[in-house]
Amino acid sequence: MGKKITEQNNFYYLTIALIILLVSSSLDQVLHITWLDKIMQGITLLTFVVCLVSLRFDSGWYRFLISLVFAWVGLIVIKELFAFKQVDVAMLVLMLTFFFGTFKSIMRQILFTGTIDNNKVVGSLALFLLLGLMWAIAYLLILEFSPESFTGLEAKDWGDNFSNAAYFSFVTLTTLGYGDMSPISPVAQVIVYLEAIAGVFYMAIVVASLVGASQNSQENNDG
């Protein structure tokens, strides 16, 4: 993997950035440092930047995602100056929209298109991580409006709760179902089982895409 982000290695960088975001979010649960929230915001912003640079080859979504990043930075400034509670909801909505845009852009580039290479295989992992992140943010949004929607998942500042929401999301996405966290409200239950369904169908779609692209590549080589 070269130092410069190209169309041949962009998903490597994007996947690494997403993994760093997930790992760093758990540090708050261990270290309990007051200024760690600022570091999390910085790491989140860095993840956005890496996503933007990795997806600059998709010009349609690139401009839209840039506008979301600028809006997110503006909300950070507003939150620091005025401490509006509504800003948290707006930040989560922007993050959800950004990750959805990133997911859609990657999906258009790797599923059922062209030949399969290592970069596209890594890109399919990035798609899976983005699925889990999007649902984690959805759970955080539910907690903002209905704090009693989950057992084992307390309602608190989304930055402090991000790791717990991500843990519950990936446990649900992979249908592990440990049982230490569970939905109570009807809305939360619907969102949870939709994620479980999405996780199962994602694996089927990715396998079908990889097999189909591999067969097409083999047919072209034989021809």
Side-chain angles (χ1 to χ4, degrees):
M1 184 170 62
K3 293 182 179 180
K4 184 178 179 180
I5 298 180
T6 66
E7 287 187 271
Q8 285 70 46
N9 63 20
N10 57 332
F11 297 135
Y12 283 91
Y13 288 93
L14 194 150
T15 303
I16 291 172
L18 293 175
I19 292 174
I20 290 174
L21 174 64
L22 289 168
V23 172
S24 60
S25 67
S26 64
L27 294 178
D28 184 55
Q29 307 296 317
V30 179
L31 301 179
H32 301 290
I33 300 175
T34 55
W35 44 263
L36 199 61
D37 182 54
K38 304 295 186 300
I39 295 180
M40 266 302 299
Q41 291 179 355
I43 292 174
T44 304
L45 182 59
L46 179 62
T47 303
F48 288 168
V49 172
V50 174
C51 289
L52 286 174
V53 176
S54 300
L55 299 178
R56 69 184 185 276
F57 311 105
D58 186 357
S59 58
W61 277 103
Y62 182 64
R63 300 186 189 92
F64 175 67
L65 295 178
I66 284 180
S67 64
L68 291 180
V69 171
F70 278 109
W72 194 80
V73 172
L75 287 175
I76 290 179
V77 175
I78 294 173
K79 182 179 179 180
E80 292 298 322
L81 293 177
F82 305 104
F84 291 148
K85 182 63 177 177
Q86 293 81 357
V87 173
D88 286 335
V89 175
M91 291 178 70
L92 288 171
V93 171
L94 281 178
M95 289 177 66
L96 180 60
T97 307
F98 181 89
F99 285 135
F100 175 76
T102 303
F103 180 88
K104 189 170 182 179
S105 177
I106 298 175
M107 187 173 62
R108 293 192 327 190
Q109 294 181 56
I110 70 172
L111 294 184
F112 303 104
T113 59
T115 58
I116 293 300
D117 55 22
N118 291 336
N119 190 45
K120 287 189 176 182
V121 173
V122 174
S124 66
L125 173 59
L127 284 177
F128 190 77
L129 295 176
L130 285 167
L131 269 180
L133 283 169
M134 285 189 290
W135 253 279
I137 295 171
Y139 298 142
L140 292 173
L141 281 169
I142 291 174
L143 287 173
E144 290 287 337
F145 295 100
S146 180
E148 304 299 325
S149 293
F150 298 89
T151 60
L153 192 58
E154 299 178 5
K156 50 186 177 181
D157 184 81
W158 72 265
D160 298 329
N161 223 11
F162 187 85
S163 178
N164 292 326
Y167 162 75
F168 176 67
S169 176
F170 282 102
V171 166
T172 303
L173 188 63
T174 54
T175 65
L176 286 175
Y178 287 134
D180 52 344
M181 299 179 184
S182 58
I184 299 176
S185 71
V187 172
Q189 290 171 347
V190 170
I191 300 300
V192 167
Y193 71 64
L194 285 177
E195 181 177 17
I197 293 172
V200 173
F201 272 88
Y202 174 79
M203 298 306 297
I205 291 171
V206 167
V207 170
S209 174
L210 295 177
V211 170
S214 178
Q215 289 177 343
N216 290 335
S217 178
Q218 185 175 358
E219 290 173 0
N220 292 333
N221 292 333
D222 294 339

